C-alpha cells in the first residue's frame, strides 16, 4: 500500500477535510500500518479497510465532541483519539 493510494481513498471517503487534515490522517494511517507489523496494533491491514474502519469510524463521533480538550484513555493504536 502506498501513501498516495491511502490519500486518494481518504479524499474519496472524507471530501470535507482540508489538505492538511488529509495529509496528517494519511501519515497516521501509514505509520500505523508500518508499526502494526512489529507491534500487532490492529487486525485491519488493507488500505480501504483502514480508511473505513479506522478513520471513518473514529471521525464519526467528532460532531458529539465539545470543548478544546478530550481524554481518550487506553486507546492502544490511538483510535479514535488521534483521528
Amino acid at each position: 500500500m502506498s501513501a498516495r493510494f491511502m490519500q486518494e481513498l481518504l479524499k474519496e471517503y472524507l471530501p470535507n477535510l482540508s489538505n492538511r487534515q488529509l495529509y496528517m490522517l494519511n501519515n497516521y494511517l501509514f505509520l500505523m500500518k508500518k508499526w502494526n507489523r512489529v507491534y500487532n496494533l490492529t487486525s485491519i491491514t488493507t488500505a480501504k479497510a483502514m480508511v473505513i474502519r479506522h478513520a471513518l469510524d473514529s471521525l464519526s463521533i467528532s460532531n458529539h465532541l465539545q470543548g478544546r480538550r478530550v481524554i481518550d484513555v487506553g486507546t492502544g493504536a490511538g483510535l479514535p483519539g488521534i483521528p
Side-chain angles (χ1 to χ4, degrees):
M1 167 191 71
S2 72
R4 186 162 181 76
F5 176 68
M6 179 76 78
Q7 187 155 359
E8 291 303 317
L9 285 172
L10 288 168
K11 284 181 185 179
E12 178 182 343
Y13 287 104
L14 298 164
N16 295 329
L17 294 184
S18 70
N19 286 337
R20 178 165 164 60
Q21 290 170 320
L22 287 168
Y23 175 79
M24 292 171 62
L25 189 54
N26 184 54
N27 282 346
Y28 167 68
L29 292 175
F30 186 78
L31 286 171
M32 186 169 55
K33 182 160 179 66
K34 173 185 173 181
W35 289 104
N36 188 54
R37 293 182 192 115
V38 177
Y39 295 108
N40 194 28
L41 301 170
T42 178
S43 63
I44 299 165
T45 58
T46 67
K48 188 171 183 175
M50 289 180 80
V51 168
I52 293 170
R53 293 176 145 182
H54 290 323
L56 292 179
D57 283 357
S58 293
L59 294 174
S60 69
I61 64 167
S62 64
N63 290 335
H64 302 288
L65 300 176
Q66 298 177 3
R68 294 184 59 154
R69 295 181 184 197
V70 177
I71 187 168
D72 189 0
V73 179
T75 62
L79 300 162
I82 292 176

